[in-house]
Amino acid sequence: MANNSYSGVKNSTMEANHNGEFNCTLKDLRSLMELRGTEGITRIEESYRDIQGLCNRLKTSPVDGLSGQPADIEKRKTVFGQNLIPPKKPKTFLQLVWEALQDVTLIILEVAAVISLGLSFYHPPDAAGGVEDENESEAGWIEGAAILLSVICVVLVTAFNDWSKEKQFRGLQNRIEQEQKFTVVRGGQVIQIPVAEIVVGDVAQIKYGDLLPADGILLQGNDLKIDESSLTGESDHVKKTLEKDPMLLSGTHVMEGSGKMLVTAVGVNSQTGIIFTLLGSGEDDDDDEEEKKKEKEEKKKQRKNKKQDGSVENRKKAKAQDGAAMEMQPLNSDEGAEAEEKKKANLPKKEKSVLQGKLTKLAVQIGKAGLVASAITVIILVVRFVIDTFWVQNLPWIKECTPVYIQFFVKFFIIGVTVLVVAVPEGLPLAVTISLAYSVKKMMNDNNLVRHLDACETMGNATAICSDKTGTLTMNRMTVVQAYIGEKHYKKVPEPESIPSSSLDMLILGIAVNCAYTTKIMPPEKEGGLPSQVGNKTECALLGFAIDLKRDYQAIRNEVPEEKLYKVYTFNSVRKSMSTVLKMADGSYRMFSKGASEILLKKCCKILIANGEPKVFRPRDRDDMVKKVIEPMASEGLRTICLAYRDFPVSDGEPDWDNENDILTGLTCICVVGIEDPVRPEVPDAISKCQHAGITVRMVTGDNINTARAIATKCGILQPGDDFLCLEGKEFNRRIRNEKGEIEQERIDKIWPKLRVLARSSPTDKHTLVKGIIDSTVAEQRQVVAVTGDGTNDGPALKKADVGFAMGIAGTDVAKEASDIILTDDNFSSIVKAVMWGRNVYDSISKFLQFQLTVNVVAVIVAFTGACITQDSPLKAVQMLWVNLIMDTFASLALATEPPTESLLLRKPYGRNKPLISRTMMKNILGHGVYQLIIIFTLLFAGERLFDIDNGRNAPLHAPPSEHYTIVFNTFVLMQLFNEINARKIHGERNVFEGIFNNLIFCSIVFGTFVIQVISSIPTSRLKFLKTAGHGTQKEEIPDEELEELEDMDEIDHAERELRRGQILWFRGLNRIQTQMDVVSAFQSGTSFQGALRRQASNSSQQQHDIRVVKAFRSSISLYEGLEKPESRSSIHNFMTHPEFRIEDSEPQIPLIDDTDAEDDAPTNTPVSPSPNQNNNAVESSNHLLPECPKSGTPSAPGSPLHSLETSL
């Protein structure tokens, strides 16, 4: 221990702010830990005299640690905080649901659904509770409800996906955290406690391989070296000593040595914690709202002062560049921290992903188109009605008829809404959600844990990837790849048989004893994995070399334990070598050395040759070897290590071990090996795939430029003969900054298009490069950049990138928190898989769009023309529900689950500006649309002639189905079904069946939909009505038993049953008669009308009555059977509402059943019937309603204008 003086205690009075019993505050400790090296030592001396003084202030002992009493530990937690970084509060399920609802497409759908639902519950004022209106409303709500249902589906699926992703990630983190324990000294005892229990004042023992859990100051250390690259990005290990640099930071790794540290900052106050807070993870929820308000004000100010206020901008720029380097002053000032937090608070709101942006735009366009179409429909219908009624027929506006006119206008509005609803693609959001969810699930198998759903699809549009070298492109395990043994240069590890046994034994012994005994190769953790390397990576490479030569180094170490090593000269930067001396059995000594070849070869005077004997090694031979062996190895990016030995014979006596210069001469060279961190075998292939796919791969590394260039060449990032740039961080910064030292976008734009390797780069450089590429406007379209990172320092760059990949194995928590996708195997080729899945998502959505828009275009045009020509859409609400919701949902599932193929990587990224619907797709949509429309219109307007069936057009609004329209609907659905197969290809491929059987989901859905369609279009229970609908009422349709029943029955019996079973219907009917009598009387006030009525009282009218009565009874029989069918109701209703109907008239009609049946054989003039066909013959179009009033006696018109009104409505 250096200076164990206690004078620090006297100094405590100088401290103004002392916190409770501890004579130093949280702020003091935090600011102390922001200093490095000698600055830190100076601050400790100024404020606390020495480290012992700091221990006294913190009431702890450097030897025995804390007392460990619960009260003391709790107090420390209260004053200095706990050693945990509070995770961001996970969003509740409801919050996720609310977020999912913000989607523009969904909002358009919701509006359409609400309007549709609202109108479906509208009842015309003059006929409240009328039978037909009720019928109408019964089917009317389905479409609105269906759309709402689809919205709910989408929202729940999306929210559940996000929620399960979050849960998965948190589970991963919690598991890691609970397993972490650390060694501390409490009450003089060395104990292991969970990392979260460490408090300020604890004395922690640190040793090789530890990840430091808190900030602290070194109390005592042996050869301690720390890898601080996760915080500073510097790859060189930092030596920690009490004299030069005692500051230890959380999140850094101990690479060599051991020691003890005094914990001075934990949790959010430690350096890692501060970065976490900056990334927005540790923000207090209470401040959120205030902060948002501040943010808004800040933005307003910024807009005003953008030009004047350069200083804030610069500070923000500086901040953006270095979220990791904590030395920066503004962090201490509240203002700086606030600005940083604001900046970070804005970060998560990345701009919309490429697909989201395009889909939103498309949804708005479709919405507008639908609105226009529905508006035109309504206008055409209204104008046509008005012109026809008031101009062509020249009828006056009768005040009493106003409600009737209003009903017409409402009906037109409903038809308009139907057209709008048909136009909106309900299936689209569901398709996107299904596609993303499916891809994310499958990507897990490809080692991509996706944290943000849209990252998956953004990846498909990536144009640039900035990748780390170590561990991503390379295996992060130093390995011997070349060797020069026995005067022979082996380009790969030689077979043990080819090396003389004496040389081999010497080599293995040298490697085993002359590598630190803490360095070892452990068996792989997972089956099939690589053996894990523990300790110094270069030594691990040599031990691996021994294993490759099929020798066991551990057996030698067991024979020669560490205690038996006579003398060890450890490796240091001055020696550039390490030597170990063994005392042999005969009393002689043998020294093994290893080190940088250019240094050690100068000290060699002999070399082992092919037969294992030493031979003289002259300077000329050495120069020769440098040219032929060492330089070629170095040019390939290999680090060359020379292994040598020297014997000290007994006769010379014991040498002076302290005279290193004499000891380390006259060596015999055993071999020279070339060591590298080898490129992962699958990486070159993955990178060439990326390049073919139009993605530029750049390497950003902290390694030196020669190694970086060599690795880049091996990976294929650099091709021989290309004029691409390889820059070091310093040179990069010099080129992108102006005289004032500010970064200029124009300067970055000159560099980045050609830059391929950025070596010796800091995290700031990485962030600057990523930001520069994203903000650049040089290229035709904005670049979409993906970044890989593992260190805490990569946090800002990962956040800034469009897609951030964190390493699952080597990555720090900060990196994982900042990332969008976690590579669970740290492998670059998994990124290529992510690109494939991303493009597949994009293509799946495009396929579905092609399918959906064809359906929509055809349906809208059919609904529009149908409404304008026949006053009603040929495709009913329920049928559209089947097509829109069921079929589209299944189609989205079928098309969204197409597996990705390698061919996806053969095209360039789409980019942000390319429209979602390509020309080929547009061609397909229009082509199919035209083809389908021709067929549907042919069937619609000529189908009855082609198939010799009855016309289904101009039926009352909710008449029973006709064969005609069933054919139209079936044809429509089957065309969509086959179009689903066409939609599988969107790039103009000829063969749409290619690979269709690879997707079982697709096959089963197409087949399943087909089967359901066939079943649904032949409803056996309703076959009777299909006949009625097609052919009118025929004798054979009425079974004899039914006729007998009818004859046997009393009218009173009938009435009783009717009242018992259908009282409500009767009463409603009677109610309506009242209303209609008023209207009739209004109509009758016209003379021509009365004349018509007089003419109508004739024999045929009597027969019509009879038929009507029978019909009514027949429908009442069906009521007895409990079947309340639409046509039955309208029959009763017609029966009840005939203008010549008088209640007393109904009594004598029943005996005339036989006559009626006879009449039924020739059903020409029957004006009222459930059969749409008969209605069609009767009414050409409901628009002629009022004009027909005067000619009501003619066969083409029904008995009354009111009846016509009823049917049309």
Side-chain angles (χ1 to χ4, degrees), residues 86-89 95 280-294 341:
K88 237 188 299 193
K89 236 183 172 178
Q95 277 172 310
S281 311
E283 281 170 15
D284 293 338
D285 287 297
D286 318 341
D287 310 341
D288 269 10
E289 282 177 23
E290 292 169 34
E291 217 157 271
K292 279 177 193 162
K293 283 178 197 164
K294 279 185 200 167
E341 260 173 32

Side-chain angles (χ1 to χ4, degrees), residues 132-152:
E132 218 163 42
D133 301 307
E134 183 189 295
N135 203 351
E136 188 174 316
S137 66
E138 246 183 44
W141 63 270
I142 293 180
E143 183 74 35
I147 296 177
L148 280 184
L149 183 71
S150 83
V151 169
I152 289 165

Side-chain angles (χ1 to χ4, degrees), residues 286-330:
D286 318 341
D287 310 341
D288 269 10
E289 282 177 23
E290 292 169 34
E291 217 157 271
K292 279 177 193 162
K293 283 178 197 164
K294 279 185 200 167
E295 239 173 76
K296 281 180 190 166
E297 286 165 26
E298 186 82 359
K299 277 184 192 164
K300 280 179 196 165
K301 279 182 202 166
Q302 273 178 17
R303 281 190 201 118
K304 286 179 196 166
N305 310 342
K306 209 160 202 177
K307 285 178 187 165
Q308 309 153 9
D309 194 350
S311 62
V312 177
E313 286 295 311
N314 289 346
R315 188 161 67 236
K316 286 213 169 184
K317 268 187 197 162
K319 271 288 188 316
Q321 294 153 20
D322 209 340
M326 293 295 119
E327 298 95 315
M328 293 184 33
Q329 207 46 43

Side-chain angles (χ1 to χ4, degrees), residues 22 24 29 54-60 76 80 200 262:
F22 305 109
C24 62
L29 291 174
L54 179 58
C55 288
N56 297 340
R57 296 265 190 109
L58 289 172
K59 302 212 172 344
T60 184
R76 285 170 192 275
F80 298 111
V200 170
L262 168 69

Side-chain angles (χ1 to χ4, degrees), residues 1083-1097 1140 1189-1193:
F1083 270 78
Q1084 283 174 340
S1085 59
T1087 52
S1088 62
F1089 187 61
Q1090 287 171 348
L1093 278 177
R1094 271 187 226 106
R1095 285 196 301 279
Q1096 203 187 19
E1140 294 173 328
C1189 296
K1191 330 178 253 193
S1192 51

